[in-house]
Coordinates of all heavy atoms in Angstrom, one line a residue:
M1 N 0.9 -1.2 0.0 CA 0.1 -0.1 0.0 C 0.9 1.2 0.1 O 1.9 1.3 0.6 CB -0.8 0.0 1.2 CG -2.3 -0.2 0.8 SD -3.4 0.2 2.2 CE -4.5 -1.0 1.9
S2 N 0.3 2.2 -0.7 CA 1.1 3.6 -0.7 C 0.9 4.3 0.5 O -0.2 4.3 1.2 CB 0.7 4.2 -2.0 OG 1.2 5.5 -2.1
D3 N 1.9 5.0 0.9 CA 1.8 6.0 2.0 C 1.3 7.4 1.6 O 1.1 8.2 2.4 CB 3.2 6.2 2.8 CG 3.6 4.8 3.4 OD1 2.7 4.0 3.8 OD2 4.9 4.6 3.6
T4 N 1.1 7.6 0.3 CA 0.7 8.9 -0.2 C -0.7 9.1 0.3 O -1.6 8.3 0.1 CB 0.8 9.0 -1.7 OG1 2.1 8.6 -2.1 CG2 0.5 10.2 -2.2
K5 N -1.0 10.3 0.9 CA -2.2 10.7 1.5 C -3.2 11.1 0.3 O -2.7 11.9 -0.5 CB -2.1 11.7 2.4 CG -3.4 12.1 3.0 CD -3.1 13.2 4.2 CE -4.4 13.5 4.9 NZ -5.2 14.5 4.4
K6 N -4.4 10.6 0.2 CA -5.3 10.8 -0.7 C -6.3 11.9 -0.1 O -6.6 11.8 1.1 CB -6.0 9.7 -1.3 CG -5.1 8.8 -2.1 CD -6.0 7.7 -2.8 CE -5.0 6.9 -3.6 NZ -5.7 5.8 -4.4
T7 N -6.7 12.8 -0.9 CA -7.7 13.8 -0.5 C -8.8 13.7 -1.4 O -8.9 13.1 -2.5 CB -7.2 15.2 -0.6 OG1 -6.8 15.5 -2.1 CG2 -6.0 15.5 0.3
R8 N -10.0 14.1 -0.7 CA -11.4 14.1 -1.6 C -11.6 15.6 -1.8 O -11.8 16.3 -0.8 CB -12.5 13.3 -0.7 CG -12.1 12.0 -0.5 CD -13.3 11.4 0.4 NE -14.5 11.0 -0.1 CZ -14.6 10.0 -0.8 NH1 -13.7 9.0 -1.0 NH2 -15.7 9.7 -1.4
T9 N -11.9 15.9 -3.0 CA -12.4 17.1 -3.3 C -13.7 17.2 -4.1 O -13.7 16.4 -5.1 CB -11.4 18.0 -4.1 OG1 -10.0 17.9 -3.4 CG2 -11.6 19.5 -4.3
T10 N -14.7 17.9 -3.7 CA -15.9 18.1 -4.6 C -15.9 19.3 -5.4 O -15.6 20.3 -4.9 CB -17.1 18.1 -3.5 OG1 -17.1 16.8 -2.6 CG2 -18.4 18.1 -4.3
V11 N -16.1 19.1 -6.7 CA -16.1 20.2 -7.6 C -17.4 20.1 -8.5 O -18.1 19.1 -8.5 CB -15.0 20.0 -8.6 CG1 -13.5 20.0 -7.9 CG2 -15.0 18.7 -9.3
D12 N -17.6 21.2 -9.1 CA -18.8 21.3 -10.0 C -18.2 21.5 -11.5 O -17.5 22.4 -11.6 CB -19.6 22.6 -9.5 CG -20.9 22.7 -10.4 OD1 -21.8 22.2 -10.1 OD2 -20.7 23.5 -11.4
I13 N -18.7 20.6 -12.2 CA -18.3 20.7 -13.7 C -19.5 20.7 -14.5 O -20.3 19.7 -14.5 CB -17.3 19.6 -14.1 CG1 -16.1 19.7 -13.3 CG2 -17.0 19.7 -15.6 CD1 -15.1 18.5 -13.6
Y14 N -19.7 21.8 -15.2 CA -20.9 21.9 -16.0 C -22.2 21.6 -15.4 O -23.2 20.9 -15.8 CB -20.7 21.0 -17.4 CG -21.6 21.6 -18.5 CD1 -21.2 22.8 -19.1 CD2 -22.7 20.9 -19.0 CE1 -22.0 23.2 -20.3 CE2 -23.4 21.3 -20.1 CZ -23.1 22.4 -20.7 OH -23.7 23.0 -21.8
G15 N -22.3 22.1 -14.2 CA -23.5 21.9 -13.3 C -23.6 20.5 -12.7 O -24.9 20.3 -12.0
Q16 N -22.7 19.6 -12.8 CA -22.7 18.4 -12.0 C -21.7 18.4 -11.0 O -20.6 18.9 -11.1 CB -22.5 17.2 -13.0 CG -23.4 17.3 -14.1 CD -24.8 16.7 -13.7 OE1 -24.8 15.6 -13.0 NE2 -25.9 17.2 -14.2
Q17 N -22.0 17.7 -9.8 CA -21.1 17.7 -8.7 C -20.2 16.3 -8.9 O -20.7 15.2 -9.2 CB -21.8 17.6 -7.4 CG -22.6 18.8 -7.1 CD -21.6 19.9 -6.3 OE1 -20.8 19.5 -5.5 NE2 -21.6 21.1 -6.8
Y18 N -19.0 16.5 -8.7 CA -18.0 15.3 -8.8 C -17.1 15.3 -7.6 O -16.7 16.4 -7.2 CB -17.2 15.3 -10.1 CG -18.0 15.3 -11.3 CD1 -18.5 16.4 -11.9 CD2 -18.3 14.0 -11.9 CE1 -19.2 16.3 -13.1 CE2 -18.9 14.0 -13.2 CZ -19.5 15.1 -13.7 OH -20.2 15.1 -14.8
T19 N -16.9 14.2 -6.9 CA -15.9 14.0 -5.9 C -14.7 13.3 -6.5 O -14.8 12.2 -7.1 CB -16.5 13.2 -4.7 OG1 -17.7 13.8 -4.2 CG2 -15.5 13.1 -3.6
I20 N -13.7 14.0 -6.4 CA -12.4 13.7 -7.0 C -11.4 13.1 -5.9 O -11.2 13.9 -5.0 CB -11.7 14.7 -7.9 CG1 -12.6 15.4 -8.8 CG2 -10.4 14.2 -8.5 CD1 -13.2 14.6 -9.9
V21 N -11.0 11.9 -6.0 CA -10.1 11.3 -4.9 C -8.7 11.3 -5.7 O -8.6 10.7 -6.7 CB -10.6 10.0 -4.5 CG1 -9.6 9.6 -3.4 CG2 -12.0 10.1 -3.9
G22 N -7.8 11.9 -4.9 CA -6.3 11.7 -5.5 C -5.4 12.2 -4.6 O -5.7 12.7 -3.5
T23 N -4.0 12.4 -5.1 CA -3.0 12.8 -4.2 C -2.6 14.3 -4.6 O -1.9 14.8 -3.8 CB -1.7 11.9 -4.6 OG1 -1.4 11.9 -5.9 CG2 -2.0 10.5 -4.2
E24 N -3.3 14.9 -5.4 CA -3.0 16.2 -5.8 C -3.7 17.0 -4.7 O -4.8 16.8 -4.1 CB -3.6 16.6 -7.3 CG -3.0 15.8 -8.3 CD -1.5 16.2 -8.7 OE1 -1.1 17.2 -8.1 OE2 -1.0 15.3 -9.3
S25 N -3.2 18.3 -4.6 CA -3.8 19.3 -3.7 C -5.2 19.7 -4.1 O -5.5 19.7 -5.3 CB -2.9 20.5 -3.5 OG -3.0 21.2 -4.8
T26 N -6.1 20.1 -3.2 CA -7.3 20.4 -3.4 C -7.3 21.7 -4.3 O -8.2 21.7 -5.3 CB -8.1 21.0 -2.1 OG1 -8.2 19.8 -1.2 CG2 -9.5 21.4 -2.3
S27 N -6.5 22.7 -4.3 CA -6.5 23.8 -5.1 C -6.1 23.3 -6.6 O -6.6 23.9 -7.5 CB -5.4 24.8 -4.6 OG -4.1 24.3 -4.7
H28 N -5.2 22.3 -6.6 CA -4.9 21.8 -8.1 C -6.2 21.1 -8.7 O -6.5 21.4 -9.9 CB -3.8 20.8 -8.0 CG -3.4 20.2 -9.3 ND1 -2.6 20.9 -10.2 CD2 -3.7 19.1 -9.9 CE1 -2.4 20.2 -11.3 NE2 -3.2 19.0 -11.1
V29 N -6.8 20.3 -7.9 CA -8.1 19.6 -8.4 C -9.1 20.6 -8.9 O -9.7 20.6 -9.8 CB -8.6 18.7 -7.4 CG1 -9.9 18.1 -7.8 CG2 -7.7 17.5 -7.1
R30 N -9.4 21.8 -8.0 CA -10.2 22.8 -8.3 C -9.9 23.5 -9.6 O -10.7 23.9 -10.4 CB -10.4 23.7 -7.1 CG -11.1 23.1 -6.0 CD -11.4 24.1 -4.8 NE -11.9 23.4 -3.7 CZ -13.1 23.0 -3.4 NH1 -13.9 22.9 -4.5 NH2 -13.4 22.4 -2.3
L31 N -8.6 23.8 -9.7 CA -8.1 24.5 -11.0 C -8.4 23.6 -12.2 O -8.9 24.1 -13.2 CB -6.5 24.7 -10.9 CG -6.0 25.4 -12.1 CD1 -6.6 26.7 -12.6 CD2 -4.5 25.5 -11.9
V32 N -8.1 22.3 -12.1 CA -8.3 21.5 -13.2 C -9.8 21.4 -13.6 O -10.2 21.5 -14.7 CB -7.8 20.0 -12.9 CG1 -8.2 19.0 -14.0 CG2 -6.2 20.1 -12.9
A33 N -10.6 21.3 -12.6 CA -12.2 21.2 -12.8 C -12.6 22.5 -13.4 O -13.5 22.4 -14.2 CB -12.7 20.9 -11.3
S34 N -12.1 23.6 -12.9 CA -12.5 25.0 -13.4 C -12.1 25.0 -14.9 O -12.9 25.5 -15.8 CB -11.8 26.0 -12.6 OG -12.0 27.2 -13.2
M35 N -10.9 24.5 -15.3 CA -10.5 24.5 -16.7 C -11.3 23.6 -17.6 O -11.7 24.0 -18.7 CB -8.9 24.2 -16.8 CG -8.1 25.2 -16.2 SD -6.5 24.7 -16.1 CE -6.0 24.9 -17.9
V36 N -11.8 22.5 -17.1 CA -12.7 21.5 -17.7 C -14.1 22.3 -17.9 O -14.5 22.2 -19.0 CB -12.8 20.2 -17.0 CG1 -13.9 19.4 -17.7 CG2 -11.4 19.5 -17.1
D37 N -14.5 22.7 -16.8 CA -15.8 23.4 -16.9 C -15.7 24.7 -18.0 O -16.7 24.8 -18.7 CB -16.2 24.1 -15.6 CG -17.5 24.7 -15.5 OD1 -18.6 24.0 -15.6 OD2 -17.6 25.9 -15.4
D38 N -14.7 25.4 -17.9 CA -14.6 26.6 -18.9 C -14.7 25.9 -20.4 O -15.2 26.6 -21.3 CB -13.3 27.4 -18.7 CG -13.3 28.1 -17.3 OD1 -14.4 28.3 -16.8 OD2 -12.2 28.7 -17.0
K39 N -13.8 24.9 -20.6 CA -13.7 24.5 -22.0 C -15.1 23.9 -22.3 O -15.4 23.9 -23.5 CB -12.6 23.3 -22.0 CG -12.4 22.7 -23.4 CD -12.2 23.7 -24.4 CE -10.7 24.1 -24.5 NZ -10.3 25.0 -25.6
M40 N -15.8 23.1 -21.4 CA -17.1 22.6 -21.8 C -18.2 23.8 -22.1 O -18.8 23.6 -23.2 CB -17.7 21.8 -20.7 CG -16.9 20.5 -20.6 SD -17.7 19.4 -19.2 CE -19.2 18.8 -20.1
R41 N -18.0 24.8 -21.3 CA -18.9 25.9 -21.7 C -18.6 26.7 -22.9 O -19.4 27.0 -23.7 CB -18.9 27.0 -20.4 CG -19.6 26.4 -19.3 CD -19.7 27.2 -18.0 NE -20.1 26.4 -16.9 CZ -21.3 26.1 -16.6 NH1 -22.3 26.4 -17.5 NH2 -21.6 25.5 -15.5
E42 N -17.4 26.7 -23.3 CA -16.7 27.4 -24.5 C -17.4 26.6 -25.7 O -17.8 27.0 -26.7 CB -15.3 27.3 -24.5 CG -14.7 27.9 -25.8 CD -13.2 27.8 -25.9 OE1 -12.5 27.8 -24.7 OE2 -12.6 27.5 -26.9
I43 N -17.1 25.1 -25.6 CA -17.6 24.3 -26.7 C -19.1 24.3 -26.9 O -19.6 24.4 -28.0 CB -17.1 22.9 -26.5 CG1 -15.6 22.8 -26.7 CG2 -17.8 21.8 -27.6 CD1 -14.9 21.6 -26.3
S44 N -19.7 24.3 -25.7 CA -21.2 24.3 -25.8 C -21.8 25.7 -26.3 O -22.7 25.6 -27.0 CB -21.8 24.2 -24.2 OG -23.2 24.2 -24.2
S45 N -21.2 26.8 -26.0 CA -21.5 28.1 -26.6 C -21.5 28.0 -28.2 O -22.2 28.7 -28.9 CB -20.8 29.1 -26.1 OG -19.5 29.3 -26.6
M46 N -20.5 27.3 -28.7 CA -20.4 27.2 -30.1 C -21.3 26.1 -30.8 O -21.5 26.1 -32.0 CB -19.0 26.8 -30.4 CG -18.0 28.1 -30.2 SD -16.3 27.8 -30.6 CE -15.8 26.7 -29.4
N47 N -21.7 25.0 -30.0 CA -22.5 24.0 -30.5 C -23.6 23.7 -29.4 O -23.6 22.7 -28.6 CB -21.5 22.7 -30.5 CG -20.4 22.9 -31.3 OD1 -20.6 22.9 -32.6 ND2 -19.4 23.1 -30.9
P48 N -24.6 24.5 -29.3 CA -25.6 24.5 -28.1 C -26.4 23.2 -28.2 O -27.0 22.9 -27.3 CB -26.4 25.7 -28.4 CG -26.1 26.3 -29.7 CD -24.8 25.8 -30.0
I49 N -26.5 22.6 -29.4 CA -27.4 21.4 -29.5 C -26.7 20.1 -29.0 O -27.3 19.0 -28.9 CB -27.8 21.2 -30.9 CG1 -26.8 20.9 -32.0 CG2 -28.8 22.3 -31.3 CD1 -27.2 20.5 -33.2
L50 N -25.4 20.1 -28.6 CA -24.8 19.0 -28.3 C -25.3 18.5 -26.9 O -25.6 19.2 -26.0 CB -23.2 19.3 -28.0 CG -22.4 19.4 -29.2 CD1 -21.0 19.8 -28.8 CD2 -22.4 18.3 -30.1
D51 N -25.5 17.1 -26.8 CA -25.9 16.5 -25.4 C -24.6 16.4 -24.6 O -23.4 16.6 -25.3 CB -26.5 15.2 -25.6 CG -25.5 14.1 -26.2 OD1 -24.4 13.9 -25.8 OD2 -26.0 13.5 -27.1
I52 N -24.7 16.3 -23.4 CA -23.6 16.3 -22.5 C -22.6 15.3 -22.7 O -21.3 15.5 -22.4 CB -24.0 16.3 -20.9 CG1 -22.9 16.7 -20.1 CG2 -24.6 14.9 -20.6 CD1 -23.3 17.2 -18.7
N53 N -23.0 14.0 -23.2 CA -21.9 13.1 -23.5 C -21.0 13.4 -24.7 O -19.9 13.3 -24.6 CB -22.7 11.7 -23.8 CG -23.3 11.1 -22.6 OD1 -22.8 11.2 -21.5 ND2 -24.4 10.5 -22.8
K54 N -21.6 14.1 -25.7 CA -20.8 14.5 -26.8 C -20.0 15.6 -26.5 O -18.8 15.8 -26.9 CB -21.7 14.8 -28.0 CG -22.4 13.6 -28.7 CD -23.1 13.9 -29.8 CE -23.8 12.5 -30.4 NZ -24.8 12.7 -31.6
L55 N -20.6 16.5 -25.6 CA -19.8 17.7 -25.1 C -18.6 17.2 -24.3 O -17.5 17.8 -24.5 CB -20.7 18.6 -24.2 CG -20.1 19.9 -23.7 CD1 -19.6 20.8 -24.8 CD2 -21.3 20.5 -22.9
A56 N -18.8 16.3 -23.5 CA -17.7 15.7 -22.6 C -16.5 15.1 -23.5 O -15.3 15.3 -23.3 CB -18.1 14.7 -21.7
V57 N -17.0 14.3 -24.6 CA -16.0 13.8 -25.6 C -15.3 14.8 -26.3 O -13.9 14.7 -26.4 CB -16.7 12.7 -26.4 CG1 -15.7 12.3 -27.5 CG2 -17.2 11.5 -25.5
L58 N -16.0 15.8 -26.8 CA -15.3 16.9 -27.5 C -14.3 17.7 -26.5 O -13.3 18.0 -27.1 CB -16.3 17.8 -28.2 CG -16.9 17.3 -29.3 CD1 -18.0 18.3 -29.9 CD2 -16.0 17.0 -30.5
T59 N -14.7 17.8 -25.3 CA -13.8 18.4 -24.4 C -12.6 17.7 -24.2 O -11.5 18.1 -24.0 CB -14.5 18.8 -23.0 OG1 -15.7 19.7 -23.4 CG2 -13.7 19.4 -22.1
A60 N -12.8 16.4 -24.1 CA -11.6 15.3 -23.9 C -10.7 15.4 -25.0 O -9.4 15.5 -24.9 CB -12.0 14.0 -23.6
I61 N -11.3 15.5 -26.2 CA -10.5 15.5 -27.5 C -9.7 16.8 -27.5 O -8.5 16.8 -27.9 CB -11.5 15.3 -28.6 CG1 -11.8 14.0 -28.8 CG2 -10.7 15.7 -30.0 CD1 -13.0 13.7 -29.8
N62 N -10.3 18.0 -27.1 CA -9.6 19.2 -27.1 C -8.4 19.2 -26.2 O -7.3 19.7 -26.3 CB -10.6 20.4 -26.8 CG -11.3 20.8 -28.0 OD1 -10.8 21.9 -28.6 ND2 -12.3 20.3 -28.3
A63 N -8.7 18.6 -25.0 CA -7.7 18.5 -23.9 C -6.4 17.8 -24.3 O -5.2 18.1 -24.2 CB -8.2 18.0 -22.6
V64 N -6.8 16.6 -24.9 CA -5.7 15.6 -25.4 C -4.9 16.3 -26.5 O -3.6 16.1 -26.6 CB -6.2 14.2 -25.7 CG1 -5.0 13.4 -26.3 CG2 -6.7 13.6 -24.4
N65 N -5.6 16.9 -27.4 CA -5.0 17.6 -28.5 C -4.0 18.7 -28.0 O -2.9 18.7 -28.4 CB -6.0 18.2 -29.4 CG -5.4 18.9 -30.6 OD1 -4.6 18.3 -31.3 ND2 -5.7 20.2 -30.8
D66 N -4.4 19.4 -27.1 CA -3.5 20.5 -26.4 C -2.3 19.9 -25.8 O -1.2 20.3 -25.9 CB -4.4 21.3 -25.4 CG -5.4 22.3 -26.1 OD1 -5.4 22.4 -27.3 OD2 -6.3 22.8 -25.4
Y67 N -2.7 18.9 -25.2 CA -1.6 18.1 -24.5 C -0.5 17.6 -25.4 O 0.7 17.7 -25.2 CB -2.1 16.9 -23.6 CG -1.0 15.9 -23.1 CD1 -0.3 16.1 -22.1 CD2 -0.9 14.7 -23.8 CE1 0.7 15.3 -21.6 CE2 0.1 13.8 -23.4 CZ 0.9 14.1 -22.3 OH 2.0 13.2 -21.9
L68 N -0.9 16.9 -26.4 CA 0.0 16.4 -27.4 C 0.8 17.4 -28.1 O 2.0 17.3 -28.4 CB -0.7 15.5 -28.6 CG -1.3 14.2 -28.0 CD1 -2.1 13.6 -29.0 CD2 -0.2 13.2 -27.5
K69 N 0.2 18.6 -28.4 CA 0.9 19.8 -28.9 C 2.0 20.2 -28.0 O 3.2 20.5 -28.4 CB 0.0 20.9 -29.3 CG -0.9 20.6 -30.6 CD -1.7 21.9 -30.8 CE -2.6 21.7 -32.0 NZ -3.5 22.8 -32.2
M70 N 1.7 20.4 -26.8 CA 2.6 20.9 -25.7 C 3.8 19.8 -25.5 O 4.9 20.1 -25.3 CB 2.0 21.1 -24.3 CG 1.2 22.4 -24.4 SD 0.5 22.8 -22.7 CE -1.0 23.1 -23.2
K71 N 3.4 18.6 -25.6 CA 4.5 17.5 -25.3 C 5.4 17.6 -26.5 O 6.6 17.4 -26.4 CB 3.7 16.1 -25.3 CG 4.6 15.0 -25.0 CD 3.9 13.7 -25.1 CE 4.9 12.6 -24.8 NZ 4.4 11.2 -25.4
D72 N 4.8 17.7 -27.7 CA 5.8 17.7 -28.9 C 6.7 18.9 -28.9 O 7.8 18.8 -29.1 CB 4.8 17.9 -30.2 CG 5.7 17.9 -31.4 OD1 6.6 17.0 -31.6 OD2 5.6 18.9 -32.2
R73 N 6.1 20.1 -28.5 CA 6.9 21.2 -28.2 C 8.1 21.1 -27.2 O 9.2 21.4 -27.4 CB 6.0 22.4 -27.8 CG 6.8 23.7 -27.5 CD 6.9 24.5 -28.8 NE 7.4 25.9 -28.4 CZ 8.4 26.4 -28.9 NH1 9.2 25.6 -29.8 NH2 8.8 27.7 -28.5
V74 N 7.6 20.5 -26.1 CA 8.7 20.2 -24.9 C 9.8 19.3 -25.6 O 11.0 19.5 -25.4 CB 8.1 19.6 -23.7 CG1 9.1 19.0 -22.7 CG2 7.2 20.7 -23.0
E75 N 9.5 18.3 -26.3 CA 10.4 17.3 -26.8 C 11.3 18.1 -27.9 O 12.5 17.8 -27.7 CB 9.7 16.1 -27.5 CG 9.1 15.2 -26.6 CD 8.1 14.1 -27.1 OE1 8.0 14.2 -28.3 OE2 7.7 13.3 -26.4
R76 N 10.7 18.8 -28.7 CA 11.7 19.7 -29.6 C 12.6 20.6 -28.9 O 13.6 20.8 -29.3 CB 10.7 20.5 -30.6 CG 10.1 19.6 -31.7 CD 9.4 20.3 -32.8 NE 8.0 20.6 -32.3 CZ 7.6 21.8 -32.3 NH1 8.2 22.9 -32.6 NH2 6.3 22.0 -31.8
L77 N 12.0 21.3 -27.8 CA 13.0 22.2 -27.1 C 14.0 21.4 -26.3 O 15.2 21.9 -26.3 CB 12.1 23.0 -26.0 CG 11.2 24.1 -26.7 CD1 10.2 24.7 -25.6 CD2 12.0 25.2 -27.2
E78 N 13.7 20.4 -25.8 CA 14.7 19.4 -25.1 C 15.7 19.0 -26.1 O 16.9 19.1 -25.8 CB 14.0 18.2 -24.5 CG 13.2 18.7 -23.1 CD 12.6 17.5 -22.5 OE1 12.2 16.4 -23.2 OE2 12.2 17.5 -21.4
A79 N 15.4 18.6 -27.3 CA 16.4 18.3 -28.3 C 17.2 19.4 -28.7 O 18.4 19.2 -28.9 CB 15.6 17.7 -29.5
E80 N 16.7 20.6 -28.7 CA 17.4 21.8 -29.2 C 18.3 22.1 -28.0 O 19.6 22.5 -28.3 CB 16.5 23.0 -29.3 CG 17.1 24.3 -29.7 CD 17.9 24.2 -31.0 OE1 17.6 23.3 -31.8 OE2 18.6 25.2 -31.3
I81 N 18.0 22.0 -26.7 CA 18.9 22.2 -25.7 C 20.1 21.2 -25.7 O 21.3 21.6 -25.5 CB 18.1 22.1 -24.4 CG1 17.2 23.3 -24.1 CG2 19.1 21.9 -23.2 CD1 16.2 23.1 -23.0
Q82 N 19.7 20.0 -25.8 CA 20.7 18.9 -26.0 C 21.7 19.2 -27.1 O 22.9 19.0 -26.9 CB 20.0 17.6 -26.2 CG 21.1 16.4 -26.1 CD 21.7 16.3 -24.7 OE1 21.1 16.5 -23.8 NE2 22.9 15.9 -24.7
R83 N 21.1 19.6 -28.2 CA 22.0 20.0 -29.5 C 23.0 21.2 -29.1 O 24.2 21.1 -29.4 CB 21.1 20.3 -30.6 CG 22.0 20.6 -31.9 CD 21.1 21.0 -33.0 NE 20.5 22.4 -32.9 CZ 21.3 23.6 -33.0 NH1 22.6 23.5 -33.2 NH2 20.8 24.7 -32.7
L84 N 22.5 22.2 -28.4 CA 23.2 23.3 -28.1 C 24.3 23.0 -27.0 O 25.3 23.6 -26.9 CB 22.3 24.4 -27.5 CG 21.5 25.0 -28.5 CD1 20.5 26.0 -27.8 CD2 22.2 25.8 -29.6
K85 N 24.2 21.9 -26.1 CA 25.1 21.4 -25.2 C 26.2 20.8 -25.7 O 27.4 20.8 -25.2 CB 24.4 20.5 -24.1 CG 23.6 21.3 -23.1 CD 22.9 20.3 -22.0 CE 22.3 20.9 -21.1 NZ 21.7 19.9 -20.1
E86 N 26.1 20.2 -26.9 CA 27.0 19.4 -27.5 C 28.1 20.1 -28.3 O 28.1 21.2 -28.5 CB 26.4 18.4 -28.5 CG 25.6 17.4 -27.8 CD 24.8 16.4 -28.7 OE1 24.7 16.6 -29.9 OE2 24.1 15.5 -28.1

């Protein structure tokens, strides 16, 4: 068993209450939930007929797309740093 303390944080995302259990701080969990809520509301405002399931999937797709772009950028920057060190 892990000695890492888990916390329970209740958040509101798109009008629904969720209890998130994890090792991150409450403030971090609230920040993540707020960003997800903001993105869902942004997508919903552009596509008001979407049901919540499709809205959630589109939000996840957007988040993963942003993550992959940032990951690629970090890898390119790390390669550039390595090249400059040589």
Side-chain angles (χ1 to χ4, degrees):
M1 250 197 216
S2 174
D3 291 336
T4 305
K5 184 176 186 266
K6 292 189 177 181
T7 59
R8 297 174 80 80
T9 307
T10 301
V11 297
D12 185 85
I13 301 173
Y14 206 70
Q16 299 287 316
Q17 294 278 315
Y18 298 91
T19 299
I20 310 296
V21 178
T23 58
E24 300 293 345
S25 69
T26 297
S27 61
H28 179 80
V29 172
R30 290 190 192 285
L31 174 62
V32 170
S34 174
M35 293 175 73
V36 170
D37 183 70
D38 290 346
K39 182 57 83 173
M40 287 183 78
R41 291 181 189 285
E42 176 188 330
I43 292 170
S44 178
S45 72
M46 294 182 287
N47 303 284
I49 62 169
L50 288 176
D51 65 50
I52 195 160
N53 293 323
K54 288 181 181 175
L55 180 58
V57 169
L58 287 176
T59 301
I61 288 169
N62 274 265
V64 171
N65 181 54
D66 291 346
Y67 166 78
L68 290 174
K69 285 179 181 178
M70 284 188 231
K71 183 179 177 212
D72 181 58
R73 176 85 171 127
V74 166
E75 288 170 355
R76 284 187 277 121
L77 289 171
E78 287 174 340
E80 180 66 15
I81 290 169
Q82 188 62 36
R83 186 187 67 75
L84 292 171
K85 284 182 177 179
E86 296 172 352

